[in-house]
Amino acid sequence: MRYDVASDRGMIKKENQDAYFIRVAKRNAHEMGLLAVMDGVSSCDDGAYASRFVMKSLNHLFETMKEKDVDLCEEVMNIHQSLKSDAKKHKQMLGTTLSLIYYYDDNLHLLQVGDSRVYLFQDHLKQISIDQTLAQMKYDAKT
């Protein structure tokens, strides 16, 4: 498997609020990996901090995943709750998108929140994630 990441602050943002996470390891003679892209929500107080917070949390999660099975959805919800608690403690509004791929040998799992897109390249580029945005909801309602 090959993977790549690209990041750009875009034309509107003053800073790049993106973070990415790539970790690969062996577990019981099987290859596993956790790959993620986070993009801080610019309408929040500190999107860059939020994306880095999730990146660091994923690092701790990956260390656990190397040793034992976890419920990935539950663990991501725990990260979300930790970020909310941190925001409340600092009296800030924090948010980030998350596009995460977990693989174990040839089995891929995609977990995505927001509009940071995931693409698959096999002869051509194909978007495999669906944005969770108002614009996407309006588009889906028309089709």
Side-chain angles (χ1 to χ4, degrees), residues 46-125:
D46 194 347
Y49 173 82
S51 60
R52 288 190 313 271
F53 182 97
V54 172
M55 179 184 65
K56 290 175 185 175
S57 299
L58 289 174
N59 192 53
H60 295 295
L61 174 59
F62 188 75
E63 290 302 315
T64 301
M65 293 173 74
K66 289 188 332 187
E67 303 299 323
K68 65 180 183 175
D69 291 335
V70 299
D71 181 327
L72 191 56
C73 290
E74 183 178 316
E75 294 299 328
V76 169
M77 287 302 297
N78 290 340
I79 292 171
H80 172 71
Q81 291 302 324
S82 294
L83 180 61
K84 281 177 57 175
S85 295
D86 193 69
K88 186 175 181 179
K89 182 172 77 176
H90 293 100
K91 295 181 174 62
Q92 290 186 314
M93 190 168 81
L94 299 173
T96 184
T97 66
L98 172 63
S99 293
L100 180 147
I101 292 176
Y102 167 67
Y103 72 88
Y104 191 82
D105 288 336
D106 291 333
N107 299 304
L108 294 175
H109 303 274
L110 171 64
L111 188 147
Q112 191 234 3
V113 178
D115 62 355
S116 292
R117 295 178 176 169
V118 177
Y119 295 88
L120 176 66
F121 184 78
Q122 290 179 322
D123 298 324
H124 66 281
L125 200 59

